[in-house]
Amino acid sequence: MDAVETFLTPGGSFFTRLWCFFQTGPVIISFSTFGAASKADPEVLMYARAMHADLAPGRKLGVAGFCWGGYGSTNLCTEKATEGGSEPLIDAQFNGHPSQLKTPDMIVDAIAAKVP
């Protein structure tokens, strides 16, 4: 985190910022490549279904996604509690400054699912 802060802080030595870039670059590139929201989506769906299955009768499941998690939380709006079922997986959703959404399709689909 210190290297990222140094790299993003205006001013400072060019060489220091370049060194910080090389320290953080491999992590950021591999996360962006292998940890893309769309690639993690099957795991998110599996986890949400497991959480839903563990709920006591009458309980509700809400999700929140921030930045990278906005993709998953928006996508969960259209999913069912079980494969091929009819019961909605989640009862409420929120996201803050979501990234990697396929707009407008994902937004329209989430709204059409009528998940608050």
Side-chain angles (χ1 to χ4, degrees), residues 27-49:
V27 174
I28 293 169
I29 291 169
S30 43
F31 176 78
S32 298
T33 303
F34 302 110
S38 60
K39 290 182 181 179
D41 201 45
E43 296 291 325
V44 171
L45 176 59
M46 184 174 67
Y47 181 80
R49 282 186 172 152

Side-chain angles (χ1 to χ4, degrees), residues 47-102:
Y47 181 80
R49 282 186 172 152
M51 291 292 296
H52 188 274
D54 285 345
L55 290 175
R59 295 293 183 145
K60 298 189 180 285
L61 179 63
V63 296
F66 296 89
C67 193
W68 174 88
Y71 180 98
S73 66
T74 301
N75 203 39
L76 289 177
C77 291
T78 61
E79 296 292 343
K80 301 301 178 195
T82 58
E83 181 104 22
S86 61
E87 180 185 5
L89 175 58
I90 62 172
D91 300 291
Q93 184 260 5
F94 167 82
N95 65 45
H97 67 88
S99 64
Q100 301 183 19
L101 292 182
K102 295 175 184 151

